Amino acid sequence: MVKNEPSTTKGEQTREAIYQAALDLFRENGFDAATMQQIADRAQVAKSAAYYYFASKEAIIQAYYEAVQSAQEQLCADAFSHSQKLKKRLHTALHSKFDLAQNDRKLLGIIFRYTGEPAHPLSCLGPANREMRRRAMLIFRDALSVERLPRDLEELLPLALWALQMGLLVLFFYDETPNQQRTRRLADGAIDFTVKMLSLAKLPVLKPIRAKVLDLLREADLLPELS
């Protein structure tokens, strides 16, 4: 579960109270059942104050996603500074997201509900979350930075690993095994496969194929600028 830093100003404290009250209600009753009035009541503020800091329930979830992403970035940056081993870095990049979502699987799962609605602010593939996708891919780019890769693979692999993570997160939300070990074992297997296949993927003979894949991704506007 993500822990936020203590707020300092009165306005920050009010915003934090509303934010935490909303998350508590979402966890207790579900996202759909909670109302902004209930959130305001739980935070002991006027409804107008709740709307002042958050325009909607979706805005609160977006703030939560931002907190999760920021926490993962910090965890990975700390771990990467202590290890140059590719396998360990990829393990951290994948499992840190699982660790942060461990107690809020249903809450984070809301983002997949709106996948088929590109205009929805919580759609994981929509324009509203473009920057969040870019930041998530940057983690994988940083994890891979210890490996000497052709330029095309430097562009392709962060996207491929992010897509893998998103697929694993779907399984993670439904996984009722202790500590979601079934999903975690699958993630570890995918990491092993990725590391072993890198030497093959880097072969010059595959450069035309890699170039074609990149062209297709660019045409589909799925390849963000990570620099």
Side-chain angles (χ1 to χ4, degrees):
M1 188 180 299
V2 177
K3 302 290 186 182
N4 287 337
E5 294 297 323
S7 301
T8 53
T9 69
K10 184 175 181 179
E12 289 171 340
Q13 291 172 355
T14 301
R15 183 184 188 278
E16 181 67 11
I18 295 166
Y19 174 75
Q20 292 297 338
L23 294 186
D24 289 344
L25 283 169
F26 295 159
R27 289 164 182 148
E28 293 169 12
N29 305 323
F31 176 76
D32 293 326
T35 67
M36 289 297 283
Q37 182 64 65
Q38 291 173 332
I39 292 167
D41 291 344
R42 177 69 66 94
Q44 298 183 334
V45 300
K47 185 178 179 180
S48 59
Y51 275 113
Y52 175 80
Y53 289 100
F54 297 100
S56 63
K57 293 191 299 179
E58 286 78 11
I60 298 171
I61 292 295
Q62 285 179 314
Y64 178 73
Y65 291 159
E66 164 67 29
V68 170
Q69 183 62 40
S70 295
Q72 188 191 20
E73 289 165 351
Q74 185 61 59
L75 285 170
C76 288
D78 291 344
F80 294 167
S81 68
H82 292 95
S83 177
Q84 296 296 303
K85 295 182 179 179
L86 178 60
K87 185 175 178 179
K88 186 172 182 179
R89 290 162 73 97
L90 290 176
H91 181 279
T92 299
L94 279 177
H95 283 269
S96 59
K97 183 74 80 174
F98 299 150
D99 294 339
L100 290 166
Q102 187 76 49
N103 297 319
D104 282 327
R105 290 184 296 137
K106 292 181 180 179
L107 193 60
L108 279 173
I110 295 170
I111 197 169
F112 292 103
R113 182 190 304 179
Y114 303 104
T115 303
E117 301 179 40
H120 196 281
L122 295 183
S123 173
C124 60
L125 297 178
N129 283 300
R130 182 184 295 270
E131 176 61 15
M132 203 69 72
R133 293 194 298 273
R134 189 188 74 86
R135 288 170 59 185
M137 291 180 207
L138 276 174
I139 288 177
F140 290 110
R141 187 199 66 177
D142 292 344
L144 291 160
S145 64
V146 294
E147 185 78 8
R148 294 186 63 182
L149 297 171
R151 179 61 183 272
D152 50 12
L153 278 180
E154 288 181 352
E155 292 185 78
L156 180 60
L157 284 177
L159 172 60
L161 289 167
W162 170 80
L164 169 66
Q165 182 179 69
M166 295 300 284
L168 289 171
L169 280 172
V170 175
L171 298 177
F172 188 77
F173 299 142
Y174 287 98
D175 189 351
E176 298 298 335
T177 59
N179 199 36
Q180 287 67 56
Q181 283 301 315
R182 182 169 55 189
T183 304
R184 292 178 182 271
R185 285 194 298 269
L186 183 58
D188 289 340
I191 292 169
D192 288 340
F193 179 80
T194 298
V195 172
K196 290 175 181 177
M197 289 297 293
L198 267 182
S199 58
L200 176 62
K202 290 188 288 185
L203 290 175
V205 70
L206 294 180
K207 186 175 181 179
I209 297 175
R210 300 196 303 261
K212 180 63 175 178
V213 172
L214 284 171
D215 286 343
L216 290 171
L217 291 172
R218 289 193 186 98
E219 185 178 350
D221 195 25
L222 291 175
L223 200 66
E225 180 58 56
L226 298 183
S227 59

